[in-house]
Every structure is written in C-alpha cells, then in structure tokens.
Amino acid sequence: MLLYSILFLFVGCALGCHPTASPPGEAPRFEVHHDPIADIWLGELEFVNLFCGTGRIMPSIFTNTLDTVGQAIGGLFRRSANPAELNPADLTPEELNRYKLDHSLLYFRGRSYEWGAGMFMRSFINGTINRNPVNCGSGITWTLQGRSNCTVDQAMQMAHSYHRAFGEYALLLNNCHIFVERFIEKLINGHCEPFPAATPL
C-alpha cells in the first residue's frame, strides 16, 4: 500500500507539477521571419485531419474508418488505472510518445516539416509535404518546444537529408513522432548541419 501511495505521488507530480511548454491555445506566427533566433513548434494533428493544408481532401469513408479504428486502438493503449501496472518511466511529460495515435509535425521559420508513409500521391521523402498549417485552423494543437538559431535553409537541408540518414518510414521504428523528436533535438542544440548519411553495413 505504501508503495502504491509513493507511485501515485510521483506520477501526480510528474503530470501536475511540471510546467507546460506553452500556454493552452497558443500557436505560432504563420509567417517567414529572419530573426537571429526563432521558435520551434510541435504540432499534433488527428489522423482524420491528416490532409488539412495540403490542398487534398481525404475521402469521407477513409476518415470515418480512421476515426473508428483510432478509437478502438486508443482504448487498448490507454494506461491502466491499476497502479501496479503503471511505469513512471513512461510518463515523462517532455518526452514525445512515439506510439501515439495522431500525427506530429514541426513548424519552424514559416515552414512545416513532417514524415509519413506517403499516400494519395503525397511523398514525405524530403521531410515535408509543404503543408500550410493556416488552413488547418484549430485542427492542430501547438506546443512551443524551444528556440533555435538555425536558418530556414539549414532546416530545409536537414529535412531533405533525413531519408538518406534513416531510411524509409517505419510504423514503430521511424515514424512521424521520431522524425520530429530528432529534428527538434538538432534545432535546439544548434546542430544545424544535415543529418549524416547512414553508414553502409
């Protein structure tokens, strides 16, 4: 019983006491700017809105299927209320959940960067599908992650080098969340050079 109490105290502090990265409802300035340092934004997009801002419309039968499947699978991944089954290491607020059932993208210096499997004639091979987030409205939830002095050209080269460095999209090992996580880490640390090419085996 004492162990359960300590565990819940730890989880409560991790989730409730940790400051959020940005106030709820805050969003980036959707404009290209050349300040010495710029904000890095994480965007989270439900799969039913996957094509907002791309100029394409997802067929309604597909969006309905995604919504139904997403809700069903989401129930399987929902954390158990049984404290014996909780793992505090999985609850770190600042770490992206690499297996969550939505789509992550990055917005930096007026451009969006993202990674995916590619569908309906859309390819993510250059680390972007040139999404205009303005046309997504409230469909994207934004969180400020930090700031970077990398330039827009450097960020674009970084995105274009991702496929060469990490290969094709993989649902568990190289998904959109992992792409954004790697990209944000480089930007925040000022590592503005492209991702290094993978070493041949």
Side-chain angles (χ1 to χ4, degrees):
M1 190 69 180
L2 178 60
L3 179 61
Y4 289 171
S5 301
I6 293 173
L7 181 59
F8 274 121
L9 182 62
F10 175 88
V11 171
C13 186
L15 297 178
C17 304
H18 192 279
T20 55
S22 59
E26 191 174 350
R29 291 182 297 150
F30 296 114
E31 58 187 20
V32 177
H33 58 89
H34 302 283
D35 300 338
I37 192 165
D39 293 339
I40 304 166
W41 291 89
L42 164 67
E44 296 171 292
L45 180 67
E46 296 291 338
F47 277 119
V48 292
N49 298 320
L50 185 60
F51 289 99
C52 73
T54 65
R56 291 186 178 273
I57 300 175
M58 189 184 294
S60 60
I61 187 171
F62 190 61
T63 61
N64 292 339
T65 301
L66 276 178
D67 191 37
T68 302
V69 172
Q71 289 180 23
I73 297 177
L76 297 177
F77 280 85
R78 208 164 286 126
R79 292 191 180 94
S80 170
N82 183 349
E85 298 177 14
L86 287 173
N87 181 0
D90 294 335
L91 302 176
T92 309
E94 63 273 5
E95 185 176 33
L96 284 173
N97 180 351
R98 294 180 169 192
Y99 311 111
K100 59 187 177 180
L101 295 171
D102 58 14
H103 179 67
S104 290
L105 60 114
L106 172 74
Y107 187 82
F108 178 69
R109 292 194 184 276
R111 292 180 178 270
S112 61
Y113 303 94
E114 49 196 303
W115 188 246
M119 56 177 65
F120 298 114
M121 305 301 290
R122 286 287 173 176
S123 172
F124 293 83
I125 195 168
N126 288 322
T128 181
I129 53 173
N130 298 314
R131 184 191 305 275
N132 182 357
V134 174
N135 296 333
C136 294
S138 60
I140 300 179
T141 301
W142 296 104
T143 309
L144 180 62
Q145 298 294 302
R147 311 195 78 198
S148 176
N149 60 0
C150 297
T151 67
V152 64
D153 288 338
Q154 289 171 327
M156 290 174 64
Q157 290 175 19
M158 219 182 290
H160 291 174
S161 68
Y162 186 85
H163 179 265
R164 183 185 62 192
F166 298 103
E168 300 291 335
Y169 173 90
L171 182 62
L172 297 180
L173 300 177
N174 192 28
N175 59 34
C176 60
H177 312 305
I178 295 172
F179 167 85
V180 169
E181 191 176 59
R182 288 168 170 159
F183 211 132
I184 289 175
E185 182 179 6
K186 275 179 70 67
L187 288 174
I188 287 179
N189 291 320
H191 298 161
C192 304
E193 68 283 351
F195 287 99
T199 304
L201 297 177

